[in-house]
Amino acid sequence: MPVADAASKPITTIEAIGETAEGARLQKAWLDIDVVQCGYCQSGQIMSAVALLVGNPSPTDDDIDAVMAGNICRCGTYPRIRAAIMLAAQG
Amino acid sequence: MSIFDKTNAAVSRRQFLIGASLTGAGLVIGLQPSPSSAAAEAFEPSAFIRIPVDGKIVFVMPSVEMGQGIYTAVAMLLAEELEVTLDQVTLEHAPADPERYANPLLGDQITGGSLAIRAVYEQMRKAGATARMILVNAAARGWEVAPDTCKAEAGHVVHAASGRRASYGSLIHAAVSETVPQDVPLKPASSFSLIGQPVRRLDSPEKVNGTAKFGIDARPEGVSYAAIAICPHFGGKLRSVEDGPAMAVKGVKQVVRIEDAVAVVADNTGAARKGLAALSIEWDPGPNAALSQADLEKLAEDAINGSALPHIQEGDVAKAEIEHGPVHEFVYRQPILTHSAMEPMNCTLHVRSDGCDVWVGTQIMGRARQAVADVTGLPLPKVVVHNHLLGGGFGRRLDVDGVILAAKIAKQVDGPVKVTWSREEDIRHDCYRYLNYSKVTATLGADGMPVSWRHRVIGPSVMARWLPAFTRDGIDLDIMAGAETPYAIPNKYTDFVRHEAPDGMLTGNWRGVGATRNIPVIEGGIDELAHAAGVDPLEYRRRLLQHKPRLLGALHVAAEKAGWTTALPQGQGRGIALTEDFGSFAAMISEVTVGNDGMLKIDRIICAVDCGQVINPDTVEAQIQSGIIYGLSAALYGRITVHNGAVVESNFDDSPVLRINETPRIEVHIVPSSEAPGGIGELGTPGVAPSLFNAIFVVTGKRLRSLPIDHNELRRV
Ligand code: FES
């Protein structure tokens, strides 16, 4: 989506995502699993994970892979991203 | 005059300060700003610890945090001996000050080579223990009791017999009069309460809630934003550019020209990029204009027979080759690689006539500062570098080319300016891991075990430019790292052919450094010899490693966890690769499936690690996973090509990296050890490619010796 299309829509950023139920659960799972490394990609990872859980509250590994494949992490936090999403989905 | 005044002769052997030195010390990372304001008094028993009257104790981090977890590890080491809990501390980036914060093993303020923990393991614990002892002595003196009747716990000194208790902060004035104790004994490992425990990263919360500050987040008052185009041709220059089209874009303030780049400066990044895109820039492509990938590969190929400098000689390889023919010969070829760190290259500067501030995330603080001083002509003390969290390093931020470029631009800009590279500029102007070829010849005895190993390494000498102390008589000690193999082979010979990239193409350090160059060759090569001898590759390695108990131990664990002796279904195979480097040992076993159509699927990677005394097992696991995934990206996709003296690839579409859906199951097993701690940030990377080579061979019978892995070579139909 071009950024211009978002101009008149409400936008939730990483700073406020904890106010949504999925966001709060995911941020907690991210801390419990200790996902982050350099951290640079992590805001984007969490935002994508929120979108995943909003649409699919109990995703399989394949569901996670399909949605999260759009977010690159050069530090290779993928195994823990999977684990954290699974944990958040259970909680 | 404060009692903390450094000129007080009675305390001159100690370093005390008035908290004013907070200025320039960089951002306080940590969950809340320390209540000790810039005006508050604090006790600084060393360069790494600052104890205020109340509020959090500040730990100053000598290494930089780029994801490897070093901030948490260093804090654990200090806290272990200082006897504080991690929620009583806050962390601060060290300023650029090599005299106080140099890595003792590198002699400069550098974070790289997986050397941080090895360098600071003793240093930090000593700093913590000495500070604790001073505080205990101060409390005991005040209470008129013997120091050994007091103990320190959770930021307090306690005298159990009388029930007295004093916080560290309440003791700092008394502490100043104490003599600094020498040779304070360190805790034995059996008394560790933090070291060795899984501890959550201290930088997690702010990275999870989006408040963490990277270099790219620096926004000094009045900052403008620059987008850049660097001459795409290595060694080329700017010929001409007209400002007009950029200046016509709303928000654009200025077009800056330097010798080999153009920058458009604007009120915001969007306008700067739009302005840059509007320009028609004419480049002088320079001396490399006609250079193609085929030329570079031909030059490297020719260098295999170039003049070589001998490095390691054991026994008599030439004699062995005559006596034990036939000679097995194999050439391994590795491509040009980028780092592609997630945070784009960026650097913000405010150059003034009387000084300069620099906001950047760098692995090499002192050199960044010197580079700015050199470009601006300012005296070194007038350059203040504010270091930040790094959005990935991997060796990219061990070079200061980005800082130099930004400084040249900022010199021409009024007020602070942030120079941010696009992904395209990043991929086309990296400090590349350059072409690395290796030729091995080996002979086997009647029992099939190797009698001689001759290994020629062909590649650039990064150390000649970057750290000359790591060269000897023209030999780059990094590129030769481990080339002689860890195996018991009676006759060994290694030599080095220095083969540089074309002028203008910067080459540098890449995650795993020398080991990622040589382990694929050694571990692929030893597997080739095992198969030539008709011996199981695990058993072959075992026989050759009887003198290497730790490597053997890791191999044993990996083999057991992988179920080495259990058969895999048709179409699947396992491959081993061992890595001994960074003071650590790793045994990796990859399991792959190769379809008849050549499609490769990596099913599972098992890695057993002996990295000595573990500081934080959670970080060890994360770093091994990280190193493996970095290695997988390179093994499957990493290849930069050159056309007309310029890099062809430009973004993640044509220079892909591993995604989550391609990530195999990774199992990390830590082998318990009480040896000195070793590095882990790079340990997982070198073994990936050869473990895949070896697994693929089992399935397909095809021996790969080049990277990245080419699926077309794996077809069986
Ligand atoms: S945590 Fe570093 S890029 Fe994902």
Side-chain angles (χ1 to χ4, degrees), chain A residues 14 30 35-46 73-75 77, chain B residues 65-68 201 203-204 206-210 212 214 217 342-343 389-392:
Chain A
I14 186 67
W30 242 248
V35 173
V36 308
Q37 289 185 32
C38 86
Y40 191 78
C41 74
Q42 296 296 335
S43 298
Q45 303 284 1
I46 291 170
C73 174
R74 275 300 265 163
C75 297
T77 61
Chain B
E65 179 59 64
M66 46 195 174
Q68 81 281 38
R201 296 177 64 113
D203 53 352
S204 262
E206 59 199 65
K207 288 176 173 178
V208 165
N209 68 21
F214 299 91
D217 296 313
M342 221 51 234
E343 180 192 4
L389 295 171
L390 278 64

Side-chain angles (χ1 to χ4, degrees), chain B residues 442-460:
Chain B
T443 56
L444 305 182
D447 57 357
M449 304 312 287
V451 178
S452 69
W453 175 273
R454 183 195 289 272
H455 184 170
R456 171 166 295 179
V457 180
I458 299 104

